[in-house]
Amino acid sequence: MRMKSPKSDMKKGIKKAPWCVEEDQKLISYINRYGIWNWSHMPRFAGLSRSGKSCRLRWMNYLRPNLKRGKFSKEEEEIILVSHSHLGNRWSIIASRLPGRSDNDVKNYWHSHLKKRASKQNLVCEKTEQIDMTSSPTSDTESVLNIQQPADHMNDYFESTFTFEEHYSSSNCSAITTDQQFEFQDNCYNTVSPGTIDDLQCFWDLLCPVENLELRNNHLDLFSSAYGLHDSNNESVTSCSFYNSNNYISRKVPSDPNGFDDGLF
DNA sequence: AAACTACTCAACCGCATAGGT
DNA sequence: TACCTATGCGGTTGAGTAGTT
């Protein structure tokens, strides 16, 4: 929507205008293939005349999988209202309680729909009353604030890569129960990735253009992994997440690299 | 139908912070 | 320790759209 491009901004050949379909497709296909490893270098490798910031914003607010479009539900409105009354304008934290909504969405919705309503109901957060994160929530809001706690834990674990909901959005995965959520959470905590996937990604990113190589498997990219897990038989397994152009898929495979034989490497 | 107004929301800006050198 | 770079966040802007007169 913002169309103005100050002359100073044009110096570096960085485009500032609404994204077109072609640009979206370039960004999506790049991320599908290589994942998110460096926003600032991404535009150059993806062939986009955009800043890394702009690419990140476009992806986070508009292009990433499982973003909800359309109207906010009553429940979502309530979560925003109650959360804002305690947290103030901490949109990213509030948005983390609303799966599929970006902080920008929540912020816009607040300003356009909820601000007036909240002030009428005296729900606007006073600066002096902003929540002390170390204190317990009051009893009347506790239930609302706790609704998304399991998802929050998972979001913390996966940080900027993908959310718990996205992780389980694959059509290959049936509905996930609360017990399964906690089981997954317990499995994932305290595990440390040796970083080999990142190393491999960088290696390919650097080598492919130079050597004119193709990844052996470009329709199913390894997205993340967690080592040091054990299955029900106490066998050592590695939890791997893949992105197959449409969905995230989670699989547990034997930790022994020799047992990892699905043609990826 | 035209003009005006209010609203929506995509996108940019500036700042704070973290991590690397 | 200082500096640099990358990232994330909240504030703000302004074109497009919907509603009203």
Side-chain angles (χ1 to χ4, degrees):
Chain A
M1 297 290 178
R2 276 172 69 103
M3 302 294 282
K4 277 194 173 179
S5 297
K7 284 180 182 176
S8 59
D9 294 332
M10 304 300 283
K11 281 181 184 173
K12 296 172 186 173
I14 292 180
K15 186 178 173 184
K16 291 183 179 181
W19 282 65
C20 63
V21 176
E22 199 179 317
E23 289 176 305
D24 284 346
Q25 284 172 346
K26 279 184 180 178
L27 185 59
I28 290 167
S29 64
Y30 183 88
I31 290 175
N32 282 351
R33 182 164 182 184
Y34 298 110
I36 299 164
W37 60 282
N38 187 317
W39 284 114
S40 61
H41 293 170
M42 188 180 292
R44 188 158 50 92
F45 287 116
L48 290 162
S49 301
R50 294 278 182 175
S51 69
K53 261 184 160 184
S54 182
C55 291
R56 178 185 162 275
L57 212 66
R58 183 66 177 170
W59 175 258
M60 298 302 285
N61 291 339
Y62 203 82
L63 300 176
R64 68 184 159 104
N66 292 352
L67 266 181
K68 270 190 202 168
R69 319 297 303 173
K71 286 195 107 180
F72 282 63
S73 67
K74 289 283 177 195
E75 289 75 19
E76 287 176 315
E77 286 185 0
E78 278 307 305
I79 290 171
I80 295 172
L81 283 167
V82 174
S83 297
H84 187 273
S85 71
H86 284 78
L87 297 165
N89 299 349
R90 297 165 81 173
W91 305 117
S92 62
I93 298 175
I94 296 172
S96 72
R97 301 178 188 283
L98 299 165
R101 301 291 189 183
S102 72
D103 53 355
N104 213 33
D105 283 337
V106 174
K107 184 170 56 181
N108 283 332
Y109 194 74
W110 168 263
H111 286 300
S112 60
H113 291 88
L114 300 178
K115 199 174 177 179
K116 284 178 187 172
R117 201 167 102 194
S119 59
K120 276 182 188 173
Q121 297 173 3
N122 288 325
L123 276 170
V124 176
C125 177
E126 299 294 336
K127 271 197 171 178
T128 53
E129 293 175 357
Q130 287 201 358
I131 194 168
D132 173 3
M133 296 303 282
T134 60
S135 67
S136 304
T138 56
S139 58
D140 61 328
T141 59
E142 192 166 20
S143 58
V144 177
L145 290 170
N146 285 338
I147 285 171
Q148 293 294 326
Q149 276 193 0
D152 287 347
H153 285 307
M154 297 313 304
N155 289 344
D156 288 343
Y157 177 76
F158 289 109
E159 298 252 338
S160 61
T161 50
F162 56 96
T163 66
F164 178 78
E165 287 72 23
E166 288 165 346
H167 183 78
Y168 278 120
S169 69
S170 162
S171 57
N172 300 51
C173 298
S174 54
I176 301 301
T177 67
T178 305
D179 285 344
Q180 282 173 306
Q181 288 182 24
F182 283 115
E183 181 194 353
F184 185 86
Q185 176 184 325
D186 289 340
N187 279 344
C188 287
Y189 267 82
N190 303 316
T191 60
V192 179
S193 166
T196 54
I197 302 308
D198 290 342
D199 293 343
L200 183 64
Q201 186 70 66
C202 290
F203 170 77
W204 275 111
D205 287 338
L206 292 170
L207 193 63
C208 285
V210 174
E211 298 291 334
N212 196 27
L213 296 174
E214 288 286 330
L215 287 171
R216 277 184 59 194
N217 188 329
N218 59 13
H219 68 279
L220 190 66
D221 292 339
L222 187 57
F223 204 75
S224 71
S225 60
Y227 298 84
L229 312 180
H230 294 84
D231 64 14
S232 56
N233 298 321
N234 209 30
E235 296 290 331
S236 183
V237 296
T238 297
S239 176
C240 295
S241 298
F242 306 91
Y243 189 71
N244 73 345
S245 304
N246 295 308
N247 294 300
Y248 294 105
I249 302 167
S250 181
R251 291 285 180 273
K252 283 182 179 176
V253 298
S255 286
D256 178 1
N258 296 326
F260 194 51
D261 186 27
D262 63 358
L264 269 164
F265 302 117

